[in-house]
Amino acid sequence: MRLSKGIRGTTFAAILAIALMAPAGASAVDIDPATTADEFNTNAAACSLREAVEAASTDSNTNADGCPAGSGKDFIHLRAGATYELSRPGFDGNNQAGDLDIRGDDLVIIAPQLGGATIDGNGATTGERAIEIINAAPAIDVLIDNINVVDGGGTGPAADNGGAIAINGVTNAHKVTLIDMAISGSRAIVGGGLSIAAQSTVELQDVTISG
């Protein structure tokens, strides 16, 4: 497990600009969740955060009928001051229930610098952590910026590691960058706030992790 702590200040704009660059040949899509409700393929008139993650991960909106299909490295933009509370109980790896399952493609999840946003894992209801970067090929880059993550962790498999965020790239070297975040009130046997599998890396820039 390798952890690195970034340096803030005059270099921030350059760091963020580099992190947000889509790879050559990719056509990134901006996905703007229109509702804070935890919907999944039930309302064609609105895109939820859960559906946005699925659309970005699969480059399809087959199971995210309110969102545009992703394409390569996508950008999910959360509303300033909004709280996105997860409420679908269960365990899977494709966003139908439990946590937000990131996989398949590089992804940026970002909120405005003024106001930020919050993802509430609501572990008592979902029985899950808040966010998981799935141990699946290919290895991906994920950036989460100006978003607080709270109240993740639950029972069963999700109780083992990463109550708020689990980077489960055991055989896939995922790279995750977290910027301007507070991770709090989450629980797990190992890494109540954050866990990182052996092959993956995480860079923290102005991140606080607390119980």
Side-chain angles (χ1 to χ4, degrees):
M1 178 175 71
R2 290 169 288 170
L3 299 175
S4 59
K5 185 174 182 180
I7 299 174
R8 292 278 294 174
T10 58
T11 61
F12 171 71
I15 291 171
L16 185 56
I18 292 170
L20 295 179
M21 288 176 63
S27 178
V29 172
D30 292 304
I31 305 176
D32 302 312
T35 178
T36 58
D38 193 24
E39 301 174 348
F40 189 79
N41 207 30
T42 58
N43 181 5
C47 176
S48 71
L49 173 57
R50 182 180 297 278
E51 291 172 320
V53 171
E54 181 66 8
S57 293
T58 61
D59 287 350
S60 169
N61 61 358
T62 298
N63 292 315
D65 56 1
C67 306
S71 177
K73 181 174 186 174
D74 299 312
F75 299 78
I76 297 176
H77 301 271
L78 303 189
R79 299 203 311 259
T83 296
Y84 299 79
E85 182 180 75
L86 307 183
S87 60
R88 298 175 66 89
F91 306 96
D92 66 14
N94 57 14
N95 288 303
Q96 293 188 50
D99 59 8
L100 302 176
D101 299 308
I102 298 173
R103 66 206 189 279
D105 276 322
D106 297 348
L107 179 64
V108 174
I109 306 177
I110 191 167
Q113 195 68 29
L114 294 177
T118 298
I119 297 175
D120 184 341
N122 191 17
T125 296
T126 66
E128 267 267 41
R129 60 179 65 84
I131 298 170
E132 180 179 7
I133 293 84
I134 297 289
N135 181 35
I140 59 175
D141 290 357
V142 176
L143 185 148
I144 303 175
D145 185 9
N146 209 35
I147 296 166
N148 297 326
V149 181
V150 302
D151 194 23
T155 60
D160 293 343
N161 64 295
I165 302 173
I167 305 167
N168 285 333
V170 179
T171 55
N172 300 278
H174 301 316
K175 180 181 178 182
V176 177
T177 304
L178 307 178
I179 300 174
D180 279 346
M181 294 178 61
I183 299 170
S184 63
S186 299
R187 55 219 160 267
I189 296 172
V190 176
L194 174 67
S195 69
I196 309 99
Q199 300 303 315
S200 296
T201 62
V202 61
E203 181 173 354
L204 308 178
Q205 300 177 31
D206 283 2
V207 174
T208 61
I209 302 175
S210 61

